[in-house]
Amino acid sequence: MVYTAGCGGGEDVQAQKTKRSENRKVNNVSTENENQMDMPVGDVKFTSEISKTESGIRVKYSVRNSGGRDIYVLDAYPSVDMASRTASAETKSFYLCLREPATAFVLRGIPPLPSMPVNVRVMPLGTKLEQNGSLAREFNIPLPLRERSDWYYAPLAPEEYLDQSVNHISLAVQFIRSTVENFEAKPADYAPDFFIVNSKNIVGQTETLKAEFTIEKTQLFVRKDLFPRK
């Protein structure tokens, strides 16, 4: 079954503290300094669709820059092949968490910080879109769904999850404009088509394109540990 969504822009995701659900007994960790300002993004076009199979949910989306200045889509991640020790950019990773009511929130952008201190925050690489530039991506979410942030959290044993269900998918894809304060973009040496981007407050200056899908009831494994939920 294919589910589609389209929009002429999106809204910023405003991170929020998720209260502990007594009936689920899930520990939640809020992410600090994650609030983002609402900004118009009508010049950035976003279309998407999902299709559910027996083994996974295939996500396809496209982003088009109709504005006059460059933007950078933040949906690729640094990766290292452990066998060859070579670095590259990969475009299949995602963050997923439970969001009430009965929604699987899927983020392609800056993953929330974990509950434990980290020396270096994982930041996505940027794909440059000039005026009228566009990109198309697709990736797969395996079934059964499980909460994941693979940059910081390893998968758990099956008994370490709670068995829940969702009937909505919320897809979020982040980007940043080249016009934000103190913006800089440097080509990644190991991935020529991608950029290492930074700005005065990159978390607060990113914008988020969103799509909402209603799906049939689908199993979601929810982590019992201190997992950050956006």
Side-chain angles (χ1 to χ4, degrees), residues 2-92:
V2 177
Y3 308 84
T4 61
C7 60
E11 299 175 346
D12 286 355
V13 170
Q14 185 175 19
Q16 54 185 335
K17 294 184 178 180
T18 309
K19 295 181 179 179
R20 176 176 296 177
S21 173
E22 294 298 335
N23 60 336
R24 292 188 173 90
K25 296 183 180 179
V26 175
N27 292 318
N28 295 306
V29 177
S30 63
T31 56
E32 298 180 356
N33 301 320
E34 295 289 299
N35 291 333
Q36 300 177 10
M37 296 177 60
D38 292 332
M39 303 178 188
V41 290
D43 56 349
V44 179
K45 309 302 180 183
F46 181 58
T47 59
S48 59
E49 69 174 44
I50 64 174
S51 56
K52 186 178 179 184
T53 67
E54 291 185 358
S55 61
I57 296 176
R58 174 64 60 179
V59 181
K60 297 182 180 180
Y61 64 88
S62 63
V63 181
R64 183 177 181 84
N65 178 19
S66 298
R69 303 295 293 272
D70 300 341
I71 67 169
Y72 290 76
V73 182
L74 303 176
D75 64 348
Y77 300 90
S79 178
V80 177
D81 183 281
M82 299 308 296
S84 64
R85 300 291 181 177
T86 57
S88 62
E90 62 89 14
T91 59
K92 306 300 182 183

Side-chain angles (χ1 to χ4, degrees), residues 33-213:
N33 301 320
E34 295 289 299
N35 291 333
Q36 300 177 10
M37 296 177 60
D38 292 332
M39 303 178 188
V41 290
D43 56 349
V44 179
K45 309 302 180 183
F46 181 58
T47 59
S48 59
E49 69 174 44
I50 64 174
S51 56
K52 186 178 179 184
T53 67
E54 291 185 358
S55 61
I57 296 176
R58 174 64 60 179
V59 181
K60 297 182 180 180
Y61 64 88
S62 63
V63 181
R64 183 177 181 84
N65 178 19
S66 298
R69 303 295 293 272
D70 300 341
I71 67 169
Y72 290 76
V73 182
L74 303 176
D75 64 348
Y77 300 90
S79 178
V80 177
D81 183 281
M82 299 308 296
S84 64
R85 300 291 181 177
T86 57
S88 62
E90 62 89 14
T91 59
K92 306 300 182 183
S93 295
F94 58 91
Y95 161 90
L96 189 152
C97 74
L98 174 66
R99 176 180 286 180
E100 297 293 359
T103 297
F105 174 69
V106 180
L107 172 67
R108 302 264 287 167
I110 303 173
L113 286 169
S115 57
M116 62 283 195
V118 293
N119 293 325
V120 179
R121 182 169 192 169
V122 173
M123 299 298 293
L125 298 170
T127 300
K128 182 180 180 180
L129 296 186
E130 299 176 343
Q131 184 178 14
N132 295 320
S134 64
L135 65 76
R137 300 269 200 241
E138 64 177 79
F139 64 98
N140 187 65
I141 306 174
L143 291 176
L145 301 177
R146 65 174 176 86
E147 290 192 311
R148 58 192 294 166
S149 181
D150 296 341
W151 308 276
Y152 301 118
Y153 291 86
L156 299 174
E159 63 271 17
E160 294 301 317
Y161 293 93
L162 294 173
D163 190 355
Q164 305 293 334
S165 63
V166 296
N167 52 24
H168 300 281
I169 298 285
S170 177
L171 173 65
V173 178
Q174 293 185 327
F175 71 94
I176 189 168
R177 299 178 187 272
S178 61
T179 53
V180 301
E181 188 174 2
N182 294 350
F183 177 82
E184 60 179 6
K186 299 178 180 179
D189 294 338
Y190 54 89
D193 294 331
F194 298 89
F195 292 80
I196 300 170
V197 300
N198 204 351
S199 66
K200 182 177 182 179
N201 176 19
I202 189 169
V203 174
Q205 292 169 325
T206 58
E207 300 174 57
T208 304
L209 302 160
K210 296 196 300 183
E212 308 290 337
F213 303 91

